[in-house]
Amino acid sequence: MKRFVLSLLTVAGLGFAASAQTGKPVTFGVKAGLAFPNMTISSGSTSVSFDAKTSFYVGGTAEFAVSDVISIQPGLTFISKGTKFNSNSFAFEDSGTGPSEKVTLNFNYLELPVNVLANFKLNGAGKIFVGAGPYFAYALNANGKYGSIKEDIKFGENDSEFKRTDFGLNFLAWYQLNNGFNIHAGYGLGLSSVADDDISDEVTFKNKVFTVGVGFSF
């Protein structure tokens, strides 16, 4: 995991070096918007995606131009992920489990993405950007809600069922006006299981999240 984080920082550093050599300016940005995360739970050959919940994200970026078209954009984002489902979603009708309760899992991450971008100018009407790249995320805190009951999820303890760390891939696109204002959308696909190693051999929990928001580059 440490090697993965170092790899992300190395890519960001190479982007900075390339930008310095070409003499192109470094562009900074801020962004915020809505997130619609859910989780995929898999066991053996069976995989189930739970319902998406509504959350938010806020963050900043630094864009290092490699050429007139290609740039490298690392960033730092606070984002809330997780999922929701009903407690009897997978129970048999005659199991006697009682009334259904809504269950919500909430994970607040600090996320480090490093994306490679391509931009296309629109005849003086701004630019369209498309890009992709890896991300590493560290959970600041987490909790689970069952009906009106809320319980914090502890990390690094003997009875913990979840890991603090997550990594995966980002896919993003946005339209930016000449004044720096942009509208963007993205999709994050978790590649690692956030379930603790004690249960990850049998069950995997992977994050997925769709985002949409606005930003400003300066």
Side-chain angles (χ1 to χ4, degrees):
M1 188 62 68
K2 290 182 179 179
R3 290 181 180 180
F4 184 78
V5 177
L6 288 174
S7 297
L8 291 182
L9 295 175
T10 299
V11 172
L14 291 174
F16 175 78
S19 180
Q21 291 177 1
T22 59
K24 296 183 180 297
V26 178
T27 303
F28 297 95
V30 292
K31 61 181 181 178
L34 295 176
F36 304 95
N38 69 343
M39 301 179 79
T40 297
I41 289 83
S42 302
S43 178
S45 60
T46 302
S47 181
V48 176
S49 290
F50 288 156
D51 295 334
K53 70 187 191 79
T54 302
S55 61
F56 72 98
Y57 66 95
V58 60
T61 59
E63 184 179 337
F64 305 103
V66 179
S67 69
D68 290 336
V69 177
I70 303 298
S71 59
I72 295 177
Q73 186 195 69
L76 195 62
T77 305
F78 175 85
I79 184 169
S80 180
K81 298 183 182 181
T83 191
K84 65 180 182 180
F85 54 92
N86 290 325
S87 59
N88 63 357
S89 295
F90 306 102
F92 295 104
E93 293 183 359
D94 59 350
S95 61
T97 56
S100 175
E101 292 282 2
K102 185 171 73 173
V103 180
T104 306
L105 296 177
N106 304 296
F107 292 81
N108 293 321
Y109 286 101
L110 195 60
E111 188 170 286
L112 170 66
V114 178
N115 296 308
V116 178
L117 307 178
N119 73 84
F120 306 93
K121 296 180 180 180
L122 299 176
N123 297 323
K127 296 180 181 180
I128 291 178
F129 288 78
V130 293
Y135 74 82
F136 171 80
Y138 182 85
L140 301 176
N141 54 66
N143 63 72
K145 293 183 179 180
Y146 178 84
S148 59
I149 301 173
K150 179 180 177 181
E151 183 175 344
D152 290 338
I153 294 174
K154 303 296 183 181
F155 300 99
E157 298 186 1
N158 293 333
D159 58 349
S160 175
E161 296 180 348
F162 293 97
K163 300 176 183 177
R164 277 195 184 273
T165 56
D166 179 32
F167 67 87
L169 292 175
N170 282 315
F171 304 91
L172 64 160
W174 75 87
Y175 169 63
Q176 181 170 298
L177 298 173
N178 291 326
N179 63 6
F181 178 81
N182 67 72
I183 302 172
H184 55 263
Y187 181 75
L189 177 64
L191 299 180
S192 67
S193 174
V194 297
D196 188 77
D197 291 337
D198 290 340
I199 64 172
S200 61
D201 290 339
E202 300 177 1
V203 181
T204 63
F205 288 64
K206 294 184 179 181
N207 284 311
K208 298 187 294 183
V209 58
F210 173 75
T211 58
V212 58
V214 296
F216 186 79
S217 297
F218 50 90

